[in-house]
Amino acid sequence: MKPLATIKNLSVSLGGRSILRGIDCELQRGKITALIGLNGAGKSTLLKALIREVPYQGAIEFHCGHDHSSHRPDHVGYVPQRLVLDERMPLTVLEFFALTLQRWPLFLGISQKVRERSQLMLSRVGAIHLLHRPVAKLSGGETQRVLLALALEPKPELLLLDEPAAGIDFVDQKPFYDLIAEINRQANITILLVSHELSVVSEVAHHVLCLNNGKIQCQGTPSEVLTDEAIKNTFGSGKRLYNHFHDGGAGCSDPSHSHGFWGHSHGW
Ligand SMILES: Nc1ncnc2c1ncn2[C@@H]1O[C@H](COP(=O)(O)OP(=O)(O)O)[C@@H](O)[C@H]1O
Ligand SMILES: [Mg+2]
């Protein structure tokens, strides 16, 4: 099957500095590709090149649409590395969603349709209870779920997640990554995921790109890439792959536990 995107000899320079060089890789359709590498390696910049937020040389070829002939994805979902919201911002999650879902100003009120759509969006990420909570007062994990809900509407052909669990407590990370794996499986959305959690990467990713100092150092399946040797080369000798998920992992979760929120009957 054709990949969703093919990146050929991509280079990015910013402020006169070469940030990415000679990147060749593919985003496999319907799969989770993980992007790993030290801080400053260029991971966020690669995501920004994919959404054309930074200028680049080389080619990013998309094969989108139902017959894979479209050169642009209809929708790309993007959850940025960090979103700092002013704590005094009084908007609730519903109002925050309404700002993007409706065309008229918020002071004219929120329609029933927008309320229902907001509930549906939150239900996809198991967060319907957050509807009336002030968005600026959410915890790190709650904020990421809300941003994920927003990124999933309308259904994206490509979902870019830049360290989506960085602000989430260690114990809450597994459910969050389980959710990402479930979105990938049930909605068949191609995902590019930046993560430092190598154990998570080894469980949820189908393909791993390892970026080092602006270049792809290695790529392949998690078992090919996440060897002790390769991790040492990328992260130095202090980092090790260890498994803190002992109950089967996201890829093995029981489908009977799934939310079942995906598919045509749920607004996509
Ligand atoms: N707008 C910019 N101008 C100059 N340098 C930048 C800019 N954005 C990022 N960089 C630099 O590019 C390098 C890669 O950044 P980034 O892609 O954010 O890395 P990562 O996400 O892997 O931590 C860093 O050294 C960063 O300082
Ligand atoms: Mg980054």
Side-chain angles (χ1 to χ4, degrees):
M1 204 191 322
K2 253 193 194 165
L4 184 90
T6 310
I7 298 174
K8 292 181 181 165
N9 198 20
L10 179 106
S11 305
V12 173
S13 294
L14 296 171
R17 263 186 66 209
S18 163
I19 310 293
L20 295 174
R21 289 172 295 284
I23 305 287
D24 285 301
C25 61
E26 290 177 345
L27 301 182
Q28 294 167 15
R29 188 178 302 281
K31 305 284 189 209
I32 298 179
T33 299
L35 183 56
I36 63 172
L38 286 176
N39 283 335
K43 304 180 297 297
S44 296
T45 304
L46 182 56
L47 263 57
K48 286 178 190 163
L50 281 160
I51 53 171
R52 295 169 186 251
E53 220 189 273
V54 294
Y56 59 84
Q57 291 184 306
I60 300 176
E61 294 170 2
F62 283 103
H63 316 285
C64 295
H66 65 280
D67 59 359
H68 307 169
S69 68
S70 166
H71 298 307
R72 276 198 127 166
D74 266 349
H75 298 288
V76 177
Y78 177 50
V79 176
Q81 188 168 349
R82 59 185 93 76
L83 180 74
V84 182
L85 293 171
D86 186 338
E87 271 206 32
R88 290 161 304 176
M89 187 175 81
L91 292 181
T92 65
V93 172
L94 172 63
E95 289 162 342
F96 189 61
F97 282 3
L99 287 176
T100 64
L101 292 178
Q102 69 184 22
R103 271 182 240 124
W104 57 90
L106 207 51
F107 63 76
L108 290 177
I110 298 173
S111 72
Q112 187 56 27
K113 209 168 145 194
V114 166
R115 284 171 199 278
E116 283 167 12
R117 185 126 295 250
S118 300
Q119 283 183 5
L120 173 68
M121 286 161 64
L122 285 175
S123 70
R124 290 184 183 133
V125 298
I128 211 160
H129 58 288
L130 300 179
L131 190 67
H132 298 295
R133 295 267 296 278
V135 74
K137 297 243 164 74
L138 299 176
S139 72
E142 289 167 342
T143 304
Q144 291 309 86
R145 278 185 191 246
V146 165
L147 294 178
L148 185 58
L150 210 50
L152 290 170
E153 182 69 26
K155 182 179 176 177
E157 279 192 280
L158 174 62
L159 181 59
L160 304 174
L161 303 173
D162 198 348
E163 300 190 34
I168 304 182
D169 289 342
F170 192 67
V171 286
D172 293 330
Q173 288 193 355
K174 169 147 171 62
F176 187 75
Y177 280 108
D178 280 352
L179 174 66
I180 290 170
E182 187 177 307
I183 289 165
N184 165 254
R185 241 187 348 262
Q186 292 205 24
N188 200 27
I189 295 173
T190 305
I191 296 177
L192 180 58
L193 165 71
V194 178
S195 177
H196 286 291
E197 293 296 317
L198 300 187
S199 54
V200 171
V201 165
S202 75
E203 295 199 18
V204 304
H206 303 100
H207 192 77
V208 181
L209 305 172
C210 181
L211 209 54
N212 195 358
N213 197 18
K215 291 186 187 161
I216 292 199
Q217 179 168 291
C218 54
Q219 60 175 307
T221 62
S223 57
E224 283 165 354
V225 171
L226 298 173
T227 60
D228 288 344
E229 183 67 20
I231 291 168
K232 207 169 94 191
N233 286 341
T234 307
F235 294 97
S237 51
K239 187 115 177 168
R240 205 176 276 134
L241 180 66
Y242 58 97
N243 193 343
H244 57 259
F245 297 159
H246 300 288
D247 58 353
C252 318
S253 70
D254 180 349
S256 64
H257 291 151
S258 75
H259 301 308
F261 285 126
W262 311 98
H264 297 298
S265 62
H266 289 90
W268 282 337

